[in-house]
Amino acid sequence: MRIIIPIKQVPETSNVRMDESTGTMVREGVESIINPLDLYAIEAGVQLKEEHGGSATVLTMGPPSAEKALREAIAMGCDEAILITGKEFAGSDTWATAYTLSSAIGKLGAYDIILAGERATDGDTGQVGPEISSFLDIPLAAYVSSIIEITDGKATVERLLEDGYETLRVELPALLTVVKEINFPRLPTLGGKKKAKEAEIPVWSRGILEIQEGELGLKGSPTRVDKIFTPKVLRDGMMLKAHDEQSAQNAAKEIVKFIKEKNLLQ
Amino acid sequence: MSSKGVWTISEWGEDRIKTISFELLTRARPLADKLNTELSSVLIGRGLEDETARELIYRGADKIYVVDDKNLESFIVENYSAVLTALILKHKPEIVVAGATTMGRTLLPHVAVKVNAGLTADCTSLDIEEGSGNLLQVRPAIGGNIMARIKTPEKRPQMATVRPKTIRPAQRDEKRQGVIIRERFGNEIIDSRVERVGHRKLDTGGAEIQDADIVVSGGAGLKKGDNFKIIQELAKTLGGAVGGSRNAVDRGWISYPHQVGLSGKTVTPKLYIAVGISGSIQHLAGMKTSEHIIAINNDPDAPIFKVADFGVVGDLFEIIPLIYEALKEAM
Ligand SMILES: Cc1cc2nc3c(=O)[nH]c(=O)nc-3n(C[C@H](O)[C@H](O)[C@H](O)COP(=O)(O)OP(=O)(O)OC[C@H]3O[C@@H](n4cnc5c(N)ncnc54)[C@H](O)[C@@H]3O)c2cc1C
Ligand SMILES: Nc1ncnc2c1ncn2[C@@H]1O[C@H](COP(=O)(O)O)[C@@H](O)[C@H]1O
């Protein structure tokens, strides 16, 4: 079974600090990591490989430094990696990203399953996975929370919806985007790390992908970021301090009064 | 032919039009008015009566495209995408908006590729730029730390998904008039490679926080899982639902369907009570449009106070029992 996993390198944003004056993220000292939600796609791919045999290829479009993310994926058990890089890809929106990745997947030859993360934590769109399936014209199952079985060239999967779980059977090759619930990503092993260090990672550019210049990067992107700003926080309501019994009692009374005044007591 | 008209993609399930459809009409009505054009809604499914479609007219649409087919009973993205792509190519709308739901977030990217259009995810506000008439799409990025305004200057239609529960559903007005157009398709819209074989409902255990008038949420300030029952009891007493911050969910104090925020649910209750929650930007993203907000936190500088109408700086373990006492007197 040939498994392909597009992953993205993102800034580690759990402790993001914003520069209030410019409205941009403070990037100094911010580490680049594999998009946390892509770890579940990698794990799902490695598990499928362990069960059915075959190989897992990770691929990313990003700056040259994104090679680090690919090596981490190899350390987790993937077999090979491809880095798509070049300044002509800069400024790609999801459409252009998906187009580039689909072209690369087309170059890779036959495959059975593509596993993408639910979304990337920086752009946060969740569009690239479904868009790749649309470009490649293969079945799509989004928000997959469990791969139940793969038999007779079909995958049976469960996906997480607002109101429950839905089971789909899709013909392979297919693209799945996976959610957190699907597994617990493993840590890299020592052997994996060694393999990762030694791996040769091919670098693909526009020429190899045979993409027209107008179809990639900023030029090939239908959408434009027009302006960036920090969200305004509104209100600033009444504040009460409850530092001793008396003031705590008063605060509690005031809260109940507030709720009552708004007609929210049943 | 140049593109014209604003479309919303309505959602249908369990014999009713889902609320998100009416929220989309609230969002899209002013866009159509500013562009001086028609507002249409697309309704795809099976067993769709005119009566059902008319509800969308009462809520603000001028025209409804109904596609009713036995093969469209449940949402299979390939089939719905084939239908919507055909409709877009035929009628050439200028703007298409759908909910940022599991359906909208799957369907719209699929269609955007087919019709060669730009798509902006998870918008929190939409407007029309004066002069150019372009759609201005505002959305959070990098965990809600920044807001980006996005335009699609050339390609049409301009497509966007919109966060559920970020605006009130359009009100009903039975005097409104409109037309219902039924579009038919043959077997070409059915992708035989995909089959839906089952569905089971999620047991949310009272997690319907998106429908509740009152939501009481707890965060890391509760210190341990056992203490979370303070939140549960307060919610019960007030007849509300229970929410939690991601910290509370990650620690296993409460399950994921209760998570409020960017990577959880957006809620807009009449009253939101945040207990021991710092008010990270990601948490605020999911609750700051609540009608009234009360916050209890022992740190006077906690950002949650910036969005609160009423803040109490103090120890939650001391204050909550006193609230019960005061409630008993008031009820
Ligand atoms: C991509 C991304 C997505 C995210 N999505 C979400 C999301 O959807 N929802 C979400 O909530 N978070 C989300 N987060 C996490 C968010 O950044 C915060 O880590 C989280 O919201 C903090 O939860 P908290 O307020 O419960 O905990 P803390 O920040 O630890 O706050 C606890 C608060 O309790 C107060 N406290 C302590 N003891 C007491 C006491 N005795 N009495 C009163 N007050 C007390 C403290 O002063 C403190 O302010 C996300 C982060 C990222 C990077
Ligand atoms: N530049 C990229 N290179 C490789 N994969 C990507 C890239 N961007 C997005 N993806 C994949 O698409 C998923 C959704 O990303 P997004 O649509 O940006 O939220 C990610 O989890 C990755 O699996």
Side-chain angles (χ1 to χ4, degrees), chain A residues 13 16 18 23 25 95 119 121-127 130-131 133-135 137-140 142-143 158-171 180 222-231 233-242 244-245 248-249 251-256 258-260 262 264-266, chain B residues 14 75 77-78 101-102 105-106 109-110 112-114 116-121 138-139 141-153 155 193-202 214 238-239 262-263 270-271 281 288 290-294 300 305-314 318-319 322-323 326-327 330:
Chain A
T13 53
V16 149
M18 300 301 294
M25 210 176 97
W95 196 98
R119 59 196 155 76
T121 53
D122 56 351
D124 222 348
T125 78
Q127 290 178 177
E131 285 176 344
S133 77
S134 189
F135 273 117
D137 201 16
I138 58 173
L140 161 68
Y143 305 102
E158 200 162 57
R159 43 188 230 110
L160 176 61
L161 307 178
E162 282 86 357
D163 66 341
Y165 295 87
E166 177 186 75
T167 313
L168 281 188
R169 190 174 297 140
V170 297
E171 213 170 281
K180 244 179 167 172
T223 61
R224 290 272 178 288
V225 177
D226 176 44
K227 197 171 101 179
I228 282 187
F229 54 100
T230 26
V233 198
L234 316 155
R235 312 195 203 199
D236 265 328
M238 177 161 60
M239 290 266 270
L240 285 181
K241 286 211 170 64
D244 56 21
E245 211 183 309
Q249 228 152 37
K253 281 211 181 91
E254 289 295 325
I255 285 186
V256 173
F258 180 88
I259 301 176
K260 206 171 167 180
K262 307 294 178 210
L264 291 162
L265 276 193
Q266 289 155 343
Chain B
E14 293 182 2
F75 172 65
V77 59
E78 288 77 8
T101 55
T102 56
R105 296 187 81 151
T106 314
H110 205 276
V113 165
K114 300 289 187 223
N116 204 352
L119 170 61
T120 305
V138 175
R139 67 177 304 262
I142 321 190
N145 286 286
I146 61 165
M147 302 298 284
R149 193 171 82 179
I150 291 164
K151 277 197 245 185
T152 316
K155 298 269 171 75
R193 298 173 299 179
V194 185
E195 189 193 348
R196 183 178 188 263
V197 288
H199 182 261
R200 63 187 166 95
K201 269 203 128 40
L202 189 73
I214 298 180
L238 292 169
L262 191 78
S263 50
K270 296 204 175 98
L271 175 65
I281 202 118
K288 69 176 176 217
S290 304
E291 216 165 292
H292 303 290
I293 296 172
I294 295 176
F305 289 128
K306 288 202 190 136
V307 299
D309 301 291
F310 195 110
V312 175
V313 183
E318 201 173 313
I319 293 159
L322 293 171
I323 293 180
L327 270 175

Side-chain angles (χ1 to χ4, degrees), chain A residues 90-112:
Chain A
S92 295
D93 72 354
T94 65
W95 196 98
T97 302
Y99 182 68
T100 303
L101 293 170
S102 318
S103 308
I105 292 167
K107 287 267 147 200
L108 284 171
Y111 58 88
D112 300 286

Side-chain angles (χ1 to χ4, degrees), chain B residues 220 223 245-247 260-263 278 280 282-283 297 315-316:
Chain B
K223 303 279 193 309
S245 71
R246 189 168 98 173
N247 254 347
V260 173
L262 191 78
S263 50
S278 60
S280 69
Q282 295 91 348
H283 189 80
N297 195 305
D315 185 359
L316 72 95

Side-chain angles (χ1 to χ4, degrees), chain B residues 145-187:
Chain B
N145 286 286
I146 61 165
M147 302 298 284
R149 193 171 82 179
I150 291 164
K151 277 197 245 185
T152 316
E154 280 156 23
K155 298 269 171 75
R156 292 292 178 271
Q158 306 161 86
M159 298 174 63
T161 59
V162 176
R163 252 188 180 212
K165 297 281 171 183
T166 51
I167 204 161
R168 308 262 155 213
Q171 291 302 304
R172 202 158 188 269
D173 173 4
E174 283 195 30
K175 290 193 290 292
R176 278 194 50 90
Q177 303 279 320
V179 286
I180 297 169
I181 298 167
R182 289 188 176 261
E183 299 265 359
R184 287 183 207 291
F185 292 88
N187 281 341

Side-chain angles (χ1 to χ4, degrees), chain A residues 14 41 46 61 112 179 181 194 198 208 230 235 240 245-246:
Chain A
S14 53
V46 174
M61 180 188 88
D112 300 286
V179 296
E181 255 182 69
K194 185 160 174 284
E198 289 161 2
I208 296 180
T230 26
R235 312 195 203 199
L240 285 181
E245 211 183 309
Q246 179 73 44

